[in-house]
Amino acid sequence: MKFNRLMALLFGVSSPLYALDQTAVNWLGQNLDVKYTLLDSKPSTCPKAQQKCYYSELSFSVATENTKANNDFAIFFSQLMPIYHVEGDNFAITHINGDIHKITPAAGFSGFSSTPTTVRFYTKDSQVTRSEFMPNYVVTDAQLKLTPQVIKSTQTQRDNDTGLELQPYLTPFDTLNQLQTSSKDDTPWMGSEYLYQHQVRPTLDAAIGLIPKPKQLTVLSDKRLNLAAGINLQLSGTSADAIAMAQQRLNTLGVKSTKEGLVVNVAVKPNKQSSPHYQLTVAENNISIQANNSAAAFYALQSLAGLLDINDLSIPMVDIIDTPRYDFRGLHVDVARNFRSKAFILQTIEQMAAYKLNKLHLHLADDEGWRLAIDGLDELTSVGAYRCFDLTETRCLLPQLGAGNDKNAQVNGFYSAEDYIEILRYAKAHHIEVLPSLDMPGHSRAAIIAMEARYKKLMAQGKPEDAQQYRLVEAADKTRYSSIQHYNDNTLNVCIANTYTFIDKVLSEVKVLHDRAGVPLNTYHIGADETAGAWLESPACKKLQASVKDFTNFNGYFIERIAKLLDKKGIQVAGWSDGLGDVRAANMPANVQSNAWATLSENGHAVAHRFANQGWQVVLSSPDVTYFDFPYQSHPEERGNHWASRAIESKKMFEFMPDNLPAHAEIWKNTNHHAYIANDSDSSLNKGVKFAGLQGHLWSEMLRSDAQAEYMLYPRLLALAERAWHHAEWELPYQAGRIYSQSSGYFTAKLQAQREADWQRFVAILGLQELPKLAQAGIEFRIPVVAAKQLSGAKLDAFTAIPGFVIEAQLENGNWVPFNTSLNQVQALRAVHPSSGRKGRALSLEKNNE
C-alpha cells in the first residue's frame, strides 16, 4: 500500500500492481457505502476570504476490503453548487461542467475500509433542502475505459408507507444549521408545534360552492339534486365535440350520459363579450346552461362537476353567473430538466380544464434535455433527450441532476411528432392552448451538444457542408463563462448565421406539427433569460457589434431578431422578463408577452409594472408564490428549490392579490424571513393598465418522477385556479404610489377577516369535495402534515390545515394507531386520506427545532 502511495506521489498515477479492472468497478458499485453530510449551512468563517460558504462532508466505506478496488477509480456525482475548496489529502474533487464533479484518490488515500474515509469541502452557494442533494453517483476507472456502474448506496428508495422518496446516502438534517442559509437567515423550522401556532384550523364541515369560486352564486334551496340516474345533454348553438371532455369528466365521476337521465339544456348564444360567460341554474327537476360561447358552455359543465359530491352524486340547487378574472390562466410545465410522460401531460390537461385553466406553457428544451422530435434533426432527441454516463456526449448528454447511467430512466425521453400532435389536440378539446418553449439563447446546451454530435457524424461521412449547416459552435470563440447553472457551454452564439438557420428550421417544424394537429401556433415562448457572459471573445460577435447601427447588447439583438422572424410567421413572441429587459421596445412587434418573474421582495412589482406600461401582455409569474417547485413548508424533508421562497403552501397562493403586487409587503416576508418594503412611488402602474393573466410554474430540476411532480402540483393548482379565475372581494385594490410594509396598515382587519372566512370556504371545498376527486383519478397529491401541540394536563391537540384527513399517532413501540387527545408517549403524527389510504409525511414530536 505504501508503494502505491509513493507511485502516486512521484508520477501522479496509481501503481499498475492493482490496476482497476471491470470486476473491481462492479464490486465498488455494489459495495461502496457513500454518505453525504451537510455539516454547516452557515459557517462563521469561510476559506479563501469568501463572505458566504457551505460546509459538507462525503464519506466512503466498505464492509470488506478489496485491495483491487483502491486505485485508479473515479467517482462522478451531481453537486448543484460547485465545490471551490477541498480539505485534506484523501481525495481530489474536480468540477467538470454544470453540476458534474469528479472524485479521484489523492496522496493521502490509503484504501477503502470499514472505517469511513472522508473528504470535507466548501461551496459558495447553498443547498438546504434534501431534494437538492442528487442521487446516482457513478464509479469507473480514471481512464474511462471500463463500463461505469451506478453506486448502489447512492440510489433513492421509496418509502413503503408514504410513497415518498428516501435518500439513504444523505445523513439526517436536524438543526437550523442545515436549514438556514446564513447568519442573517431567520427561516423557521416548520415542525408540528410551529404549524400549530401559525396554521389556520379548518372550521367548516361543508361548504356550498366550487373551485374556482364563481363570480356570483345564489343558493335556491336547501335541497340537493341527485344525478345518480344520469343526465341527458340537450345542445343548442354548440357542438358535442366542444363539450365532450367536460361530459367525459362527469361520466368518470359517476354521472353518466343517458337518454333517460335528467335533461340539461345547454344553449350557446354569442354576445359582444369575448371572454367566456355563462349562467348555470340547478332547479328541482331541471338544469339549464346559458353561455356566450362553447368555452363558456364547457366551463359551465365543469362547474356542474365541481358542485358534485362523488359519495352520493348529488349537487346543491344553485344559480351561478360566472366569467373569468383573466383571459390568460396558465400553467408552465418543465419537461426539459427531467422528463414528464405523455400520460402525465394528458392528465394535467384534464385537471387544468377541470379548474378552468386555459394555457399550458410547455417547456420543451433546456440545458438538460430536448424533448420534441424535429424532422431532419434526429440528434436533438437521439442524443439531446437522454442523460447517461458518456463524457464524450455522442450517445447522450452528461448525467446532470443525478441522472445516473440508465437511458430508460424516467428522467429521460421525448415526445414524437405523433405524441405532440396528440397533446395539442387533447388540449384543444379541453379549451386549452399550448404555448411551446424551446429556451434560447441561454439554456440551450442540449441543442448545442446534439448539433455538435450531428456535425461530427456528418464530417466523418465526408459531408462538411451538411455538417456545418446547423452547427451551433463557433470554433474560434474562446470566451470563458459560467452560466447560472454553472455550464461553460450552454449559450447559442447569437452572432453566427447557423444559429438563425437552426432556429428557423425548428420553428418551421414546430409550426408544421401545429398545422397537422389543426391547432394554430399562436404564441411561441423563446425563453431569452439568464445569458451569462457569453460571446465576449467571439470574433463573429466583435464583427457584428461593429457593423450593427445603434447596437446595445447581444441578447437584445437576438430577441429582436427572433421576434421579427416569429412575427413574419404570424406568431406572437413571448419571453421571460429579464431577457426582454434587454430589448428596445420600438424594435419589437406590437404584441409581446412578458412573463414577469422578478421576486416581489426585490421590487418585482416594478418589473411587472414597467412591461405592462409598455403595452405588453404581462403574465404574472412571481416566483415567491407561483413556483410550485418550491417547498410547501420550510422543512428539509419538503421537496423543492429555495432561492425565491422557503414555503409556498396552498394558502399563500390563495392569498395572492395579483392586481396589487406591492401590497404583499404587508403580509409576506422575504427569503430570509425578514420584513421588506415595496415602494411603488416611482414605479406605478398607469391608470387603466391591466395584467394579461397569471401562471403557475412546475420546474423539474428536483422532480425525478411523475409522482413527485403530482406531489408538488396538487393541491396548489387549485389555489392557482382560484386566483386566476376569481377576483376576491377581500383583495386590496391597487392604488398607485403607495409604500407598503408590515406596518403600513392598508390591508385592514376587516379585509383580513373576509379573507380568512373565504379561506375556510375554499379549504372546506378543497378537502371534502375536490381531493376525493383527485384521489379517484389516481393523483398523488400532497397530504398535509399534522400541526400539534402538547397542552396542559398532558393533553395533545392536533389538526390538519386541510380537512378530510384522519390523523394517526405513532407510539413508543412503533405502532400507528388512530389519534385521540388522551394518548400518552406519542412519538410522531401523520395524516391519512380515508378514501385512498395514502399516508402523509410523519412529523416527530420529540424534535421541535422542528
Side-chain angles (χ1 to χ4, degrees), residues 210 344 377 664 740:
L210 63 144
F344 173 87
L377 298 177
H664 297 91
Y740 292 90

Side-chain angles (χ1 to χ4, degrees), residues 657 663 666-667 730-732 744-749 751-752 755:
M657 299 179 285
E666 284 203 6
I667 60 174
W730 49 261
E731 292 185 49
L732 183 63
S744 53
Y746 294 114
F747 193 54
T748 64
L751 291 176
Q752 292 176 48
R755 182 190 66 189

Side-chain angles (χ1 to χ4, degrees), residues 573-587:
V573 66
W576 300 107
S577 55
D578 59 331
L580 290 175
D582 291 335
V583 308
R584 295 163 293 185
N587 286 9

Side-chain angles (χ1 to χ4, degrees), residues 39-317:
L39 296 170
D40 195 346
S41 61
K42 48 179 185 177
S44 57
T45 59
C46 299
K48 300 181 181 179
Q50 284 292 319
Q51 291 186 345
K52 288 176 65 176
C53 64
Y54 305 87
Y55 189 36
S56 300
E57 176 186 271
L58 275 167
S59 73
F60 305 88
S61 63
V62 293
T64 305
E65 293 188 34
N66 181 352
T67 54
K68 291 183 179 181
N70 285 336
N71 302 280
D72 258 0
F73 64 83
I75 296 171
F76 293 81
F77 71 110
S78 290
Q79 166 75 26
L80 291 185
M81 301 306 165
I83 294 165
Y84 82 93
H85 179 73
V86 178
E87 291 184 339
D89 64 352
N90 284 328
F91 299 100
I93 302 181
T94 307
H95 177 226
I96 305 299
N97 200 1
D99 66 25
I100 301 296
H101 289 67
K102 179 176 72 171
I103 299 174
T104 51
F109 180 69
S110 58
F112 296 119
S113 70
S114 58
T115 301
T117 305
T118 63
V119 57
R120 293 187 171 189
F121 52 86
Y122 291 84
T123 65
K124 296 178 183 178
D125 299 299
S126 59
Q127 295 177 208
V128 289
T129 69
R130 291 181 67 85
S131 60
E132 292 175 308
F133 295 80
M134 297 294 168
N136 297 323
Y137 292 31
V138 174
V139 62
T140 186
D141 63 303
Q143 292 75 32
L144 306 179
K145 294 180 179 179
L146 303 176
T147 302
Q149 298 294 313
V150 172
I151 299 173
K152 185 178 180 179
S153 66
T154 65
Q155 294 176 319
T156 60
Q157 299 173 5
R158 188 174 169 94
D159 186 278
N160 290 331
D161 283 339
T162 65
L164 300 178
E165 183 182 78
L166 298 175
Q167 297 164 282
Y169 56 90
L170 189 58
T171 61
F173 289 18
D174 49 22
T175 74
L176 289 174
N177 281 43
Q178 295 165 309
L179 178 76
Q180 297 172 344
T181 61
S182 74
S183 59
K184 298 178 181 179
D185 187 356
D186 294 323
T187 297
W189 188 292
M190 293 186 177
S192 55
E193 189 166 338
Y194 179 92
L195 297 177
Y196 187 91
Q197 294 169 352
H198 293 87
Q199 287 191 331
V200 177
R201 187 191 294 261
T203 59
L204 300 178
D205 295 328
I208 293 177
L210 63 144
I211 296 173
K213 186 178 182 179
K215 190 174 184 66
Q216 179 181 319
L217 183 150
T218 304
V219 177
L220 302 178
S221 169
D222 58 0
K223 297 179 181 178
R224 295 180 67 87
L225 185 62
N226 192 281
L227 302 181
I231 57 174
N232 181 3
L233 296 180
Q234 299 293 311
L235 306 181
S236 171
T238 190
S239 68
D241 288 345
I243 53 87
M245 293 298 103
Q247 185 179 7
Q248 180 175 299
R249 182 177 183 232
L250 283 161
N251 184 72
T252 300
L253 293 174
V255 179
K256 309 297 182 182
S257 288
T258 171
K259 291 181 180 180
E260 291 74 34
L262 181 71
V263 171
V264 178
N265 290 301
V266 181
V268 173
K269 297 179 181 179
N271 58 23
K272 294 181 180 180
Q273 185 175 346
S274 59
S275 297
H277 184 281
Y278 71 86
Q279 181 173 6
L280 167 64
T281 304
V282 180
E284 189 160 354
N285 291 300
N286 176 266
I287 299 174
S288 66
I289 291 170
Q290 301 287 329
N292 70 331
N293 55 38
S294 293
F298 176 84
Y299 292 139
L301 288 170
Q302 292 287 13
S303 291
L304 196 64
L307 292 168
L308 188 69
D309 181 337
I310 63 171
N311 293 310
D312 62 6
L313 300 182
S314 70
I315 58 174
M317 295 186 188

Side-chain angles (χ1 to χ4, degrees), residues 475-492:
D477 182 5
K478 305 301 180 185
T479 307
R480 298 172 63 88
Y481 65 91
S482 178
S483 75
I484 197 165
Q485 279 85 22
H486 315 290
Y487 292 103
N488 57 30
D489 56 357
N490 80 328
T491 306
L492 299 177

Side-chain angles (χ1 to χ4, degrees), residues 616-815:
W616 289 3
Q617 298 169 24
V618 170
V619 175
L620 298 175
S621 300
S622 307
D624 358 28
V625 61
T626 71
Y627 273 34
F628 298 159
D629 58 309
F630 283 71
Y632 284 87
Q633 294 159 352
S634 56
H635 190 288
E637 298 288 347
E638 285 292 345
R639 178 168 298 280
N641 216 318
H642 73 277
W643 57 266
S645 180
R646 302 302 300 275
I648 303 179
E649 293 197 76
S650 299
K651 190 171 190 288
K652 186 176 185 180
M653 183 71 250
F654 173 88
E655 291 176 345
F656 190 37
M657 299 179 285
D659 292 339
N660 192 349
L661 299 179
H664 297 91
E666 284 203 6
I667 60 174
W668 293 345
K669 295 183 178 180
N670 66 15
T671 51
N672 286 330
H673 205 67
H674 296 169
Y676 68 94
I677 296 172
N679 187 340
D680 192 41
S681 60
D682 59 357
S683 57
S684 298
L685 199 61
N686 293 342
K687 187 175 182 180
V689 172
K690 296 183 181 299
F691 300 127
L694 175 62
Q695 179 170 281
H697 305 78
L698 190 68
W699 298 99
S700 69
E701 293 100 317
M702 316 295 167
L703 309 181
R704 291 181 281 275
S705 70
D706 290 351
Q708 290 174 1
E710 289 177 359
Y711 178 97
M712 302 301 281
L713 190 54
Y714 304 99
R716 292 187 284 202
L717 177 86
L718 282 72
L720 167 71
E722 178 83 3
R723 284 289 68 79
W725 181 274
H726 178 72
H727 187 288
E729 292 182 3
W730 49 261
E731 292 185 49
L732 183 63
Y734 177 74
Q735 185 171 323
R738 281 179 169 175
I739 300 174
Y740 292 90
S741 69
Q742 300 273 309
S743 59
S744 53
Y746 294 114
F747 193 54
T748 64
K750 180 180 179 180
L751 291 176
Q752 292 176 48
Q754 290 175 350
R755 182 190 66 189
E756 293 311 306
D758 196 26
W759 167 253
Q760 290 292 351
R761 171 203 59 83
F762 174 86
V763 79
I765 296 170
L766 173 65
L768 304 174
Q769 198 163 291
E770 295 309 306
L771 292 187
K773 294 170 187 171
L774 295 180
Q776 187 184 83
I779 290 173
E780 296 189 27
F781 54 83
R782 178 183 182 266
I783 293 173
V785 293
V786 178
K789 185 178 181 180
Q790 197 78 47
L791 304 179
S792 59
K795 180 181 178 182
L796 181 64
D797 189 27
F799 66 89
T800 57
I802 300 173
F805 293 88
V806 174
I807 297 176
E808 291 184 344
Q810 187 181 42
L811 305 181
E812 276 189 305
N813 60 9
N815 292 336

